[in-house]
Amino acid sequence: MEEPAAGSEFRSGFVSVLGLPNVGKSSLVNQFLGKSVCITSFKAQTSRYHIRCIATSPKRQIVFVDTPGWVKTDRLIDKLFRLEIDRGAE
């Protein structure tokens, strides 16, 4: 990537995509990027980990963070899943 010219404004930031499972978070990120980077499926809980994608141009850089769907239940598998997500955030 080339350095921005003196006096020009270079901006960067993070966009976290959060929501319930199977609502199109990964599809939205793919649309923003114009490529199929994040996995998509009709099956719920396809994304198991955070996926970071970077869109770059001479004047901007956007880091998209695609997150797994967030479900709160009392099932053991869901508790273990949340534990793994919390551990990955450290």
Side-chain angles (χ1 to χ4, degrees):
M1 186 174 99
E2 296 180 20
E3 292 291 322
S8 68
E9 290 188 30
F10 183 81
R11 297 189 180 261
S12 63
F14 286 84
V15 175
S16 293
V17 185
L18 306 169
L20 296 173
N22 212 27
V23 294
K25 297 177 298 293
S26 297
S27 298
L28 180 67
V29 171
N30 286 341
Q31 282 289 11
F32 284 143
L33 296 173
K35 297 181 182 184
S36 182
V37 177
C38 300
I39 188 170
T40 58
S41 172
F42 291 109
K43 182 181 174 188
Q45 295 293 323
T46 302
S47 299
R48 292 287 182 174
Y49 302 100
H50 294 78
I51 300 171
R52 292 167 189 88
C53 308
I54 302 173
T56 304
S57 76
K59 291 191 175 189
R60 63 163 170 74
Q61 186 174 57
I62 304 170
V63 179
F64 291 96
V65 182
D66 183 21
T67 60
W70 195 256
V71 179
K72 286 195 174 188
T73 66
D74 293 329
R75 294 184 336 183
L76 178 60
I77 187 71
D78 293 325
K79 288 179 181 180
L80 293 173
F81 181 58
R82 285 195 305 264
L83 178 65
E84 182 66 28
I85 291 172
D86 293 340
R87 195 176 327 149
E90 295 173 355

